[in-house]
Amino acid sequence: MVTFLRQVRKSLLESGAARRYFIYAAGEIVLVVVGILIALQINNWNESRNEREQERNVLHELIENLEINVKRLDVNIERGNTDNSMADVLITSINKNNPYSDTLDKYFPLALNPVDEGSFISFVGYESLKNTGFDIIQNYELKKEIITLFEGTYKDLRARYDRIQLSNTALNGFIDQHFYMKASESREYAPIDYQTIVKNNRLMSWMMKLKGHRHWIAVVLLTSRTETQSALQNIQEELEIMEK
């Protein structure tokens, strides 16, 4: 087409028909402009397609990330409940002034189980999103939910664990001073002098303190679990819409 227009332009110039030449010249310009616009449109379409593919990859990573977090949160919630149940058995026994029995030895490790630090929460998928750029997610509400979960709820959970960590050194000292491990495979603690730590309330004090720690952590663990499951479901729904 361009070659044809050039031939027509040459013919018109040679024949002196200037007006007709300018009409064809304008047509040639329009053709070039249209070609540029089509090329830009194709380029924009390719960029958009690449961005959506990148968005899908990021969302899939976030799904894997959140699925791991749900499982880890469930483990820690269950662990806290179990540890507190074991503490309740011992507290009830002490309140009833029951004599020491070695059947209690299996309860001591759990009742005195320290609240671990909160690094079990995974940020892998979120770090990938940050590196890619938050704008890659088109759904504003979904993007806001993800950021709030990782920057708000998860960091609050970690902060609570960090505050509790300050007392773990003292707890470990108490355990080392007043208990010995009967067998590593059974993980049972036997008190060195049960009556002493019962009468001076040190055992009761530590169990009550740890129960308070676990209840304090449990509030954010449950919130984190609910919000993680919500974000996971919303991301899955967003992917279903994108892939239709």
Side-chain angles (χ1 to χ4, degrees):
M1 178 62 73
V2 174
T3 303
F4 171 72
L5 288 173
R6 286 176 179 171
Q7 291 176 346
V8 172
R9 178 180 61 187
K10 182 178 179 182
S11 174
L12 290 172
L13 286 173
E14 290 174 351
S15 65
R19 184 172 179 277
R20 294 181 62 190
Y21 162 70
F22 284 119
I23 293 174
Y24 278 98
E28 186 175 353
I29 292 171
V30 170
L31 181 64
V32 172
V33 170
V34 169
I36 292 173
L37 290 175
I38 292 173
L40 288 173
Q41 183 64 31
I42 293 173
N43 184 64
N44 290 338
W45 181 79
N46 285 333
E47 286 185 1
S48 178
R49 184 180 62 178
N50 290 337
E51 287 178 356
R52 298 291 65 78
E53 182 62 28
Q54 196 172 21
E55 181 183 8
R56 278 191 289 269
N57 291 337
V58 167
L59 292 178
H60 278 296
E61 279 191 72
L62 282 167
I63 285 176
E64 293 178 7
N65 189 164
L66 296 180
E67 286 176 341
I68 289 171
N69 286 347
V70 167
K71 292 178 181 178
R72 291 178 177 178
L73 286 164
D74 284 342
V75 167
N76 279 269
I77 290 169
E78 180 61 28
R79 175 185 170 185
N81 291 336
T82 300
D83 291 349
N84 277 346
S85 295
M86 299 301 101
D88 287 337
V89 171
L90 291 171
I91 290 169
T92 299
S93 179
I94 292 172
N95 287 335
K96 289 182 177 180
N97 294 316
N98 292 338
Y100 167 73
S101 167
D102 60 6
T103 58
L104 297 176
D105 293 350
K106 64 183 178 182
Y107 296 103
F108 291 121
L110 298 175
L112 296 172
N113 205 6
V115 178
D116 292 337
E117 47 94 18
S119 62
F120 64 87
I121 290 292
S122 172
F123 279 71
V124 175
Y126 184 66
E127 290 300 325
S128 178
L129 171 60
K130 285 171 65 176
N131 292 334
T132 303
F134 293 115
D135 289 340
I136 198 67
I137 297 180
Q138 288 188 310
N139 186 325
Y140 174 77
E141 292 300 324
L142 179 61
K143 175 168 56 180
K144 184 171 69 173
E145 181 180 21
I146 293 168
I147 294 173
T148 299
L149 176 63
F150 281 91
E151 296 292 345
T153 306
Y154 284 171
K155 289 192 174 180
D156 182 24
L157 180 61
R158 280 190 170 184
R160 292 197 179 206
Y161 273 106
D162 290 343
R163 288 180 63 181
I164 291 174
Q165 287 298 299
L166 298 175
S167 65
N168 282 352
T169 301
L171 171 63
N172 291 333
F174 170 76
I175 294 172
D176 291 341
Q177 182 180 358
H178 296 286
F179 292 87
Y180 65 92
M181 185 175 288
K182 294 171 65 174
S184 58
E185 61 273 10
S186 63
R187 200 174 180 269
E188 293 185 2
Y189 289 173
I192 296 171
D193 187 345
Y194 180 74
Q195 289 302 320
T196 297
I197 57 175
V198 168
K199 286 180 179 179
N200 64 20
N201 288 322
R202 293 196 66 190
L203 176 59
M204 180 70 80
S205 176
W206 269 113
M207 289 192 296
M208 295 301 293
K209 185 175 184 177
L210 288 167
K211 281 192 67 176
H213 286 171
R214 295 184 195 112
H215 283 306
W216 191 54
I217 284 290
V219 173
V220 186
L221 282 173
L222 291 170
T223 299
S224 298
R225 211 285 185 191
T226 300
E227 293 183 7
T228 301
Q229 192 61 52
S230 173
L232 181 58
Q233 181 177 342
N234 289 335
I235 292 172
Q236 290 170 335
E237 290 176 357
E238 183 70 13
L239 278 171
E240 289 176 4
I241 294 172
M242 293 176 65
E243 293 171 358
K244 283 183 179 179

